[in-house]
Amino acid sequence: MSNSKTNNSQFFSKILNAVGAGVVIALIPNALLGELLKIFKNGNEILEMIYQLVIVIQSFMAFIVGILAAHQLKFNGAGSAIIGTSAMLGSGAIIFNGHGFEIKGIGDIINTIIVVIIACLIYMLLQNKLGSLEMIVLPVLIPIISGGIGLITLPYVRQITQALGRLINSFTDLNPLLMSILISVTFSLLMVTPISLVAIATAIGLNGLGSGAANLGIVAACVTFLFGSLRVNSIGVNMVLLIGAAKMMIPVFLKNLIIAIPLTINGIIVGIIAYVLQVKGTPLSAGFGYTGLVGPINAYNRMPGDPTMNIILLAIGYFIIPFISGFIVHELCKKFIPLYTNDIYKFEVPKQ
């Protein structure tokens, strides 16, 4: 069966759906367990091993995305393995250091998408045209070509992240309230794009109030999509959003950019919260929101005063106000924006 009948819109839609699902599969284990394991793993070999495993799982994000994209396009098992391998090679997660190679981080999601698109197009072009040589030629040709192109494009693609980093860094020169709002809104919008927020935050050393505002911006994105999703998606999708993995909604956002309106409004609200409560963090905590309690834990460690009151304030800032405002903003948008409905939040789960 040929895949050449897949039209362009279906092709890119399936790639984006694979990205959304792949991000969740790769990042959820560490998001759920990472911070807790950090606390309890010292001196415990089993917990230390589990911690290392969840870190390794997220490093294979590009491979998982490639496999899911191939599956979406109805490639066979061998084809899926080829696409997954290509994505891993060109993602930037594998670092060649002159003496060998190492796996570092999750790679660049934008570059991963580029490599997956190229690899899938080459596979579709050559599938069933090489006869008995297919199993010899394709596993060599596709990963080398698409993965090699990925390594060439990687430095240029990373310039996008660096440019955004410089823009966000310029916000830190403004007065604290305005800085907090702008950073929060920016991170809220970028949360549902292929751009790595952790990479931006660490690249510019986003610290203190800027980190806290970024963190709450991610919370704004999570509650925006949670309330939009509740009536149209399965409990599994909604649970993932509740955990804080809004990155899975990349395809939904890119197809319905009107969602930028509630994302911006909620970003403004939590930006003000970050300023009022003086929520702070580190460059590494800036890209997590409340997932795994990374944001709240780091903010708590930087708050002076009574510990009990600090916990109450963080509960208000991270959960109570964002969830209430997220619900209200969603309902108001449905009432006053004609094209804004629950249906635009429908997430297409990759079919088995």
Side-chain angles (χ1 to χ4, degrees):
M1 181 176 63
S2 173
N3 291 287
S4 60
K5 295 180 180 178
T6 304
N7 64 43
N8 291 336
S9 62
Q10 289 177 328
F11 176 80
F12 288 109
S13 176
K14 289 178 178 180
I15 296 292
L16 289 175
N17 286 337
V19 172
V23 167
V24 172
I25 293 170
L27 301 186
I28 279 294
N30 187 41
L32 285 177
L33 301 176
E35 287 303 305
L36 291 175
L37 289 170
K38 282 181 184 179
I39 297 172
F40 297 109
K41 70 183 178 68
N42 291 337
N44 189 309
E45 292 184 3
I46 294 177
L47 293 182
E48 178 68 40
M49 180 189 68
I50 295 173
Y51 177 71
Q52 297 298 333
L53 288 176
V54 298
I55 295 296
V56 171
I57 290 171
Q58 71 177 18
S59 296
F60 279 85
M61 186 190 72
F63 182 79
I64 295 168
V65 168
I67 292 286
L68 290 175
H71 180 69
Q72 283 273 282
L73 294 167
K74 306 294 191 243
F75 295 173
N76 58 29
S80 297
I82 290 170
I83 304 303
T85 302
S86 302
M88 193 69 186
L89 290 174
S91 67
I94 297 179
I95 307 297
F96 300 94
N97 54 27
H99 304 286
F101 66 90
E102 58 182 331
I103 298 177
K104 186 175 182 180
I106 63 174
D108 188 289
I109 304 180
I110 298 177
N111 213 60
T112 298
I113 295 173
I114 293 172
V115 174
V116 168
I117 290 173
I118 294 171
C120 289
L121 289 175
I122 296 174
Y123 187 85
M124 292 164 66
L125 180 66
L126 297 179
Q127 186 185 22
N128 300 326
K129 294 180 181 177
L130 299 174
S132 59
L133 293 176
E134 184 170 299
M135 283 301 295
I136 298 174
V137 175
L138 295 188
V140 177
L141 190 68
I142 296 177
I144 290 177
I145 292 178
S146 58
I149 291 174
L151 293 178
I152 293 171
T153 60
L154 184 61
Y156 302 100
V157 171
R158 280 180 171 163
Q159 288 181 10
I160 299 173
T161 302
Q162 293 167 358
L164 286 168
R166 289 191 293 271
L167 174 63
I168 293 169
N169 196 40
S170 70
F171 296 157
T172 60
D173 296 329
L174 305 173
N175 76 71
L177 176 58
L178 186 56
M179 175 199 74
S180 183
I181 291 173
L182 289 175
I183 289 179
S184 178
V185 169
T186 302
F187 269 65
S188 178
L189 292 168
L190 292 179
M191 179 60 182
V192 280
T193 70
I195 294 167
S196 171
L197 300 183
V198 175
I200 290 176
T202 53
I204 64 175
L206 193 59
N207 218 328
L209 180 59
S211 173
N215 217 263
L216 281 170
I218 293 170
V219 174
C222 293
V223 298
T224 298
F225 280 91
L226 176 62
F227 286 112
S229 170
L230 280 176
R231 295 181 179 88
V232 295
N233 289 317
S234 67
I235 187 171
V237 171
N238 292 326
M239 283 300 295
V240 171
L241 290 172
L242 183 62
I243 291 168
K247 209 78 172 170
M248 71 180 290
M249 303 301 273
I250 290 172
V252 173
F253 178 62
L254 295 182
K255 293 174 190 174
N256 302 281
L257 294 177
I258 197 170
I259 298 174
I261 296 175
L263 283 173
T264 300
I265 297 171
N266 286 322
I268 292 171
I269 293 170
V270 299
I272 296 172
I273 294 171
Y275 172 75
V276 172
L277 299 182
Q278 287 295 292
V279 177
K280 298 178 181 179
T282 68
L284 288 176
S285 71
F288 285 92
Y290 58 66
T291 303
L293 297 181
V294 175
I297 289 173
N298 277 274
Y300 175 80
N301 291 336
R302 285 157 181 79
M303 293 179 75
D306 180 62
T308 302
M309 179 57 66
N310 290 341
I311 292 174
I312 293 172
L313 290 175
L314 288 174
I316 292 171
Y318 270 90
F319 301 101
I320 296 176
I321 295 178
F323 275 76
I324 292 174
S325 65
F327 172 76
I328 293 172
V329 169
H330 178 63
E331 294 302 319
L332 288 176
C333 285
K334 285 196 298 181
K335 183 175 181 179
F336 293 107
I337 303 175
L339 297 177
Y340 187 90
T341 65
N342 288 322
D343 291 335
I344 65 176
Y345 286 92
K346 182 67 178 176
F347 180 77
E348 297 179 21
V349 180
K351 296 179 180 180
Q352 300 296 320

